[in-house]
Amino acid sequence: MPPSKASSKQCPLALSSVLTCPRSLKATPPAAAIPRLQDYNVDPLHGFLPVNPPPLRRLPEIPYAPWEHTLDDLSALLLAGTLRETVEKLPHLSTDSLKTEREWQRAYLVLSFIGQAYVWGYNQDVAEVLPIAIAKPWHSTAQHLGLKPVITYAAVELYNYRLIDPDGPFDLSNLAVMHTFTGNDEAWFYLISIATEAAGAPALAAIVAAMHAVKEENLQVLIDNLNIVKQAIEEITKVMMRMYERNDPHIFYHRVRPYLAGWEGSSELPDGLFYEGVAPAPSTCVTIKSPAEYTPANGIKGVFSRRLQNDHDNGDGHPLHGTYRKYAGASAGQSSLIHCLDVALGIEHNPHRMARCAAAQQHIPIDPTAKTRPVDPKQPPVNHIHEMRKYMPGCHRAFITAIEHAPSIRKYINNLNATHHDPTTPTDMDNAPVHDSALADEATRVFNECVLEMRTFRDRHLQIVATYIVLQAKKKKEVGHFDRPPASQSVRVRQSLQARGTGGTDLIPFLKQSRDETTEALLHMEI
């Protein structure tokens, strides 16, 4: 199945018709159509978290026991230095036996953890070639779900939670994660995002209801639902600020974050990761029979690596076949919830010029503590926020697109605010304004409060990034006994700083730009 066609596939019929996207993921929804949550795997109470049923805790024993057993022992195998050897002995299992959508999601989670652990290892050099036993089914599950074969927010958060008490609340007092690479601090990092998804979920139904209110020109209903959105944003900010409670910044930066890195803009994987057994996209690559046929000039860049050109084979004298892929790693920027809030409030994010300068293209590591970095003038600006949508489940990405094409809440209130003080504004038969001016002012005020809450959310997020990433990058402490050795760890942490979430751009300037763009969505109120 060619990767270039992944985004055009429909979500497969799985648990029920409710879990099926109604249209091609590439299709543009009809103008002014208001989406229904259930058509996009969005739960009215729990948002983008999978519920009814919840995420699976095990795949069927037959045939997927080898995958599950490897994940069971993941930390132990990493510590023993035998994870790669174990993976290389795994049987080549097909995804054909996966039946329900939850099974596909579970398989993607399992393969994501094993694949990331294989690539980055523990106190080991990076692995440039991912064996077919993981690469091929990982690619297959990613295509099915509309994701990428790299660790994503969906893998470590959406598909990775369970309730301690199945009848208990969806909050930090009752949520647990099923898998981590490193332990408790990492689990708390995931739990914060899972809890924010739960806390913000009421906003999604309120957004849809607010759009219906716009269409029906019902200001009171619009105001009521905007208040729900505002309260939801307040709650996700409160939950996010609990990050400090049980996630040590040093542990996160040096031990957790490297495993969440991808291979886009990576100094250690300049060509990306080689997925053995995964066919190249026909639009960019052609089939070749030997490494000798590879040259940068013949248009098939990325099919074989430098090592493969040097007679690297699969152990039996035959060259490996597959393709190179470059993907960003897991990021909170892949949260569909935050994207929906932005789109619903008319918060527009512009392209941000990539910081991958000429030095980065020459595979020279970039100093993450540098105040300024040269920009390659040949590198076009990239909308990194929109890029993160490529790493969301396909149905959720389609929901964001549907929200974009639905009636605009901001435009409606802005027009209302601009006209209800105008003497030429249309009136009813009693010569009264069509819309009550007090309600129009209230709608503008509540809308602006929603935008300011998003600004506050981004301010707090900046504080967390400064604590957990920027300050840690500046520290010159020696690496502890249980951390990676200085040579490999320092390079890996630097590259993960660039890759995760922003695809190579400077974190602080990028986040400040996003925050400032949020403020620009505020509406001017007539006096």
Side-chain angles (χ1 to χ4, degrees):
M1 190 180 297
S4 61
K5 296 181 180 179
S7 60
S8 64
K9 291 233 5 129
Q10 289 184 325
C11 289
L13 186 63
L15 300 173
S16 70
S17 59
V18 172
L19 288 180
T20 305
C21 286
R23 59 179 66 89
S24 167
L25 298 180
K26 268 191 172 181
T28 299
I34 300 174
R36 300 190 311 163
L37 298 178
Q38 63 267 34
D39 288 340
Y40 297 89
N41 294 5
V42 183
D43 186 85
L45 295 178
H46 307 295
F48 295 108
L49 292 173
V51 293
N52 302 320
L56 280 186
R57 299 180 68 172
R58 303 288 291 192
L59 287 168
E61 191 74 9
I62 299 175
Y64 297 114
W67 291 356
E68 290 285 4
H69 293 164
T70 302
L71 183 58
D72 289 341
D73 294 332
L74 190 70
S75 296
L77 291 169
L78 279 168
L79 189 61
T82 56
L83 184 277
R84 289 175 179 168
E85 178 183 346
T86 300
V87 169
E88 287 159 8
K89 293 178 181 178
L90 285 175
H92 299 181
L93 301 178
S94 169
T95 57
D96 291 346
S97 297
L98 298 171
K99 295 180 174 60
T100 70
E101 199 72 356
R102 294 291 180 262
E103 288 182 1
W104 282 95
Q105 291 168 355
R106 173 69 187 179
Y108 177 76
L109 175 153
V110 172
L111 294 164
S112 294
F113 272 90
I114 296 173
Q116 293 288 135
Y118 184 94
V119 171
W120 298 119
Y122 183 78
N123 289 357
Q124 295 170 296
D125 291 334
V126 65
E128 187 180 358
V129 178
L130 187 64
I132 190 172
I134 297 297
K136 196 167 183 178
W138 196 8
H139 178 259
S140 175
T141 57
Q143 280 199 311
H144 178 96
L145 297 168
L147 289 160
K148 303 292 185 185
V150 67
I151 201 158
T152 61
Y153 184 90
V156 295
E157 266 95 16
L158 302 184
Y159 306 155
N160 192 31
Y161 84 90
R162 66 180 180 87
L163 292 176
I164 299 170
D165 175 4
D167 298 320
F170 274 73
D171 61 33
L172 287 169
S173 70
N174 193 46
L175 285 166
V177 298
M178 292 187 281
H179 304 285
T180 69
F181 296 98
T182 63
N184 289 340
D185 290 77
E186 179 183 353
W188 188 252
F189 174 68
Y190 298 156
L191 283 169
I192 291 297
S193 289
I194 295 166
T196 60
E197 291 288 332
L204 299 173
I207 287 168
V208 171
M211 289 177 169
H212 280 289
V214 166
K215 192 172 182 179
E216 297 162 8
E217 299 195 69
N218 189 326
L219 286 183
Q220 188 57 60
V221 172
L222 175 60
I223 291 166
D224 291 343
N225 281 284
L226 284 176
N227 273 313
I228 294 173
V229 172
K230 181 185 74 170
Q231 292 165 10
I233 302 171
E234 290 175 351
E235 288 302 312
I236 66 175
T237 303
K238 290 177 184 176
V239 172
M240 181 179 64
M241 293 306 292
R242 294 189 62 185
M243 181 70 74
Y244 300 99
E245 292 180 15
R246 295 169 193 175
N247 183 14
D248 181 85
H250 177 85
I251 292 174
F252 171 77
Y253 185 77
H254 291 282
R255 304 182 197 177
V256 178
R257 189 173 173 86
Y259 286 113
L260 302 178
W263 22 92
E264 181 179 62
S266 169
S267 59
E268 293 184 281
L269 293 169
D271 295 320
L273 181 68
F274 187 87
Y275 291 76
E276 184 188 359
V278 176
S283 60
T284 56
C285 301
V286 298
T287 302
I288 59 178
K289 297 179 181 179
S290 72
E293 294 184 34
Y294 170 81
T295 63
N298 67 11
I300 48 180
K301 179 181 179 182
V303 179
F304 286 96
S305 70
R306 298 177 307 282
R307 287 193 294 159
L308 294 179
Q309 290 181 64
N310 294 325
D311 297 325
H312 187 79
D313 57 44
N314 59 9
D316 60 4
H318 299 289
L320 296 175
H321 292 275
T323 184
Y324 267 94
R325 301 294 176 90
K326 292 183 178 182
Y327 298 123
S331 168
Q334 296 161 7
S335 167
S336 300
L337 172 66
I338 303 303
H339 285 247
C340 282
L341 289 168
D342 276 344
V343 170
L345 295 174
I347 298 170
E348 297 182 358
H349 296 287
N350 299 311
H352 184 85
R353 185 166 291 280
M354 300 179 73
R356 277 194 291 245
C357 58
Q361 294 176 349
Q362 296 168 14
H363 317 318
I364 300 172
I366 297 174
D367 180 5
T369 65
K371 294 183 179 179
T372 60
R373 300 182 194 174
V375 174
D376 180 6
K378 297 180 182 178
Q379 186 68 55
V382 173
N383 194 317
H384 293 282
I385 287 183
H386 288 184
E387 282 292 302
M388 288 298 99
R389 294 184 189 177
K390 298 177 181 179
Y391 298 85
M392 297 174 183
C395 287
H396 297 171
R397 183 167 60 250
F399 181 69
I400 296 169
T401 301
I403 292 289
E404 285 180 319
H405 289 84
S408 170
I409 297 171
R410 184 178 186 276
K411 287 181 181 178
Y412 175 74
I413 298 177
N414 191 41
N415 290 338
L416 204 64
N417 183 52
T419 60
H420 77 265
H421 291 290
D422 189 333
T424 63
T425 298
T427 58
D428 61 19
M429 294 181 63
D430 297 322
N431 204 35
V434 173
H435 297 292
D436 183 274
S437 60
L439 284 179
D441 286 341
E442 178 70 1
T444 305
R445 183 186 65 80
V446 177
F447 177 88
N448 281 343
E449 287 178 351
C450 290
V451 173
L452 289 173
E453 287 298 335
M454 285 298 291
R455 160 90 187 203
T456 299
F457 169 79
R458 290 197 156 98
D459 276 332
R460 300 295 179 265
H461 184 238
L462 262 169
Q463 294 173 13
I464 290 175
V465 169
T467 300
Y468 282 84
I469 299 175
V470 178
L471 293 179
Q472 295 304 311
K474 290 180 179 179
K475 287 185 177 180
K476 302 299 182 182
K477 293 182 178 180
E478 293 184 2
V479 178
H481 176 68
F482 293 104
D483 288 321
R484 300 180 186 277
S488 63
Q489 186 264 359
S490 59
V491 171
R492 190 158 298 165
V493 168
R494 282 199 298 270
Q495 86 87 27
S496 69
L497 174 64
Q498 300 165 47
R500 181 173 179 259
T502 56
T505 192
D506 296 302
L507 277 172
I508 294 300
F510 169 74
L511 294 175
K512 285 183 176 179
Q513 175 182 316
S514 299
R515 179 195 60 189
D516 294 342
E517 290 166 342
T518 301
T519 307
E520 292 171 5
L522 288 169
L523 294 174
H524 176 68
M525 294 187 67
E526 296 286 343
I527 299 176

